[in-house]
Amino acid sequence: MQKFEYHLQKYDATGFWGGKVDLAQMDIEFNRLGRDGWELVSTFDTNSSYGQSRWIVATFKRPRAIA
């Protein structure tokens, strides 16, 4: 049976109403994690009031090394 380990990466959403993220920085970090064997599973945003995004959270997984 395959076992996995997981990693959560949080990105700040900036701007007056939120929702603005640094896509270039996310691209760099997603590719770095991919080279380290992490696979992107999902992303979601966290809302504060009035639909403003506070953070974008990305979930990654990779096979866990068997000891």
Side-chain angles (χ1 to χ4, degrees):
M1 182 167 96
Q2 184 73 36
K3 298 189 185 231
F4 297 95
E5 60 180 329
Y6 295 88
H7 173 74
L8 298 177
Q9 187 75 32
K10 181 180 83 168
Y11 300 93
D12 291 325
T14 61
F16 182 75
W17 293 107
K20 294 182 181 179
V21 294
D22 186 344
L23 292 177
Q25 185 61 37
M26 286 178 74
D27 186 55
I28 291 167
E29 291 180 19
F30 279 27
N31 281 301
R32 178 185 56 80
L33 288 164
R35 283 190 300 275
D36 290 341
W38 293 101
E39 176 183 1
L40 179 64
V41 175
S42 69
T43 58
F44 62 91
D45 69 324
T46 60
N47 292 325
S48 58
S49 59
Y50 305 106
Q52 300 168 339
S53 294
R54 183 173 301 259
W55 300 297
I56 305 298
V57 179
T59 305
F60 295 85
K61 75 174 185 178
R62 69 178 175 189
R64 189 173 72 184
I66 298 174

